[in-house]
Amino acid sequence: MTRPAHILPVILFSQLAGTSLWFAGNAVILDLQRDWGLAPESLAYVTSAVQLGFVSGTLLFAVLMISDRFSPRLVFFCCALAGGIANLALLLAPRELLALLLLRFMTGFFLAGIYPVGMKIAAGWYRRGLGRALGYLLGALVLGTALPHLLRGSGTDLPWQQVIVGVSLFAAIGGAAMLLAVPDGPHIGKGAAFNPRALKFIFASPRFRASAFGYFGHMWELYTLWAFIPLLLLAYAQRHDPGLNLYWWTFLIIAAGFVGCAVGGVVSARIGSARVAASQLAVSGCCCLLSPLMLNAPAPLFFGFLLLWGITVVGDSPQFSALNAEHAPREYVGSALTIVNSIGFLITILSIQLASSLLPLLGIQYLFWILIPGPVIGLWAMRRLLRARTGSAN
């Protein structure tokens, strides 16, 4: 069956639109702190609520085999619509933290039917070239995550309510596009039933353990940087440029990760996923280490540094996905990937909450030092994969 030319662009658009729900709450949190009287630590709680919802949804969808029982594009559409409604409900919710957290949890829950299911839809259309397609797909997720900040920064007088409405409508449009324009692919397959007992066996494989712990180190850094980068920009603006558009620059820094995902996918075909992932993880780790120096740096150096960090902090994500899929025990592939992804997102909650609790003590200048253990542990865990690659090259 010939793959129509519009398939990948529509999947990418739908993925971008659906995942724009992810950081919608973060893009308006400063407004909510002002209008609802929320405490500063609400930033961490709001981000963590989405992550916890995503983990819960991922596990439930896997146990019930939702994307196997029903057409994946129908699941994608329903979850994009439901996630948009949960996001839109912020406009009617009581002005209290508990209501906000519940709605963000529900949004994260429905994101479990968007991000992973979008990848399954793409896999249904690609038998060859899937790795590159997934690189672009994860890049679309990065752009979607950044998009609410772009909307919020598009005009200084744009009310936060319009950002929420715009993101919700965009997600629904993306879901409709997937349903109407992307039929189920010829290579769509049913996954094996989720087996929680796989947890006893999957980490016995040295190579899977290496790729999984590399991924865990990557996740320790990723979402905490994305969550707290607006505070770093705010601190820089207070010192050097009070008129700085925080939201616009937050968008650019997060969106820069698309470059890392796309270019990394191309380079990995030549040197392998392990080397690409390790290189980007090492660079982002160095950025963590050097971050305290940047608050006093000239603007070109400061913003260039943050763009490089934005590129590398997520550019390794598609490669870790490929490595985990490659090295997972064959009899537990689906269960292994679900377990590892769930652990990875739970790690982001720990990292975000730790950062929030230490922010008053360390200040934003030194806060990102707590992320250094992630890249260090990840690189240490990956040494077996890097040695294997070097040995095969020789």
Side-chain angles (χ1 to χ4, degrees), residues 224-381:
T224 304
L225 174 65
W226 281 356
F228 286 90
I229 204 68
L231 299 186
L232 181 61
L233 290 167
L234 178 61
Y236 189 84
Q238 290 171 342
R239 293 189 183 193
H240 305 284
D241 184 5
L244 182 70
N245 190 325
L246 304 179
Y247 300 104
W248 172 246
W249 275 105
T250 301
F251 165 76
L252 287 178
I253 293 162
I254 296 177
F258 179 86
V259 177
C261 292
V263 174
V266 175
V267 176
S268 67
R270 295 181 175 229
I271 67 173
S273 292
R275 285 185 176 180
V276 173
S279 298
Q280 299 208 55
L281 191 60
V283 172
S284 65
C286 290
C287 290
C288 296
L289 181 64
L290 297 174
S291 59
L293 303 176
M294 292 300 112
L295 271 180
N296 296 315
L301 177 59
F302 176 74
F303 291 114
F305 172 85
L306 290 183
L307 288 171
L308 174 64
W309 201 354
I311 289 171
T312 56
V313 75
V314 71
D316 49 2
S317 193
Q319 308 312 316
F320 281 120
S321 296
L323 289 168
N324 288 335
E326 178 183 353
H327 298 299
R330 292 301 94 190
E331 63 273 28
Y332 296 116
V333 172
S335 299
L337 296 181
T338 298
I339 290 170
V340 166
N341 287 341
S342 299
I343 293 174
F345 277 91
L346 288 174
I347 286 172
T348 69
I349 297 174
L350 297 177
S351 177
I352 290 166
Q353 292 301 320
L354 179 63
S356 179
S357 63
L358 292 179
L359 180 59
L361 177 64
L362 299 176
I364 194 64
Q365 183 168 8
Y366 294 97
L367 182 68
F368 298 104
W369 270 2
I370 70 167
L371 303 183
I372 294 175
V376 170
I377 293 173
L379 289 169
W380 175 259

Side-chain angles (χ1 to χ4, degrees), residues 62 64-69 120 188-194 333-335:
L64 299 181
M65 302 181 69
I66 296 294
S67 62
D68 291 327
R69 294 174 183 269
K120 178 167 184 172
I188 199 78
K190 291 194 174 183
F194 177 71
V333 172
S335 299

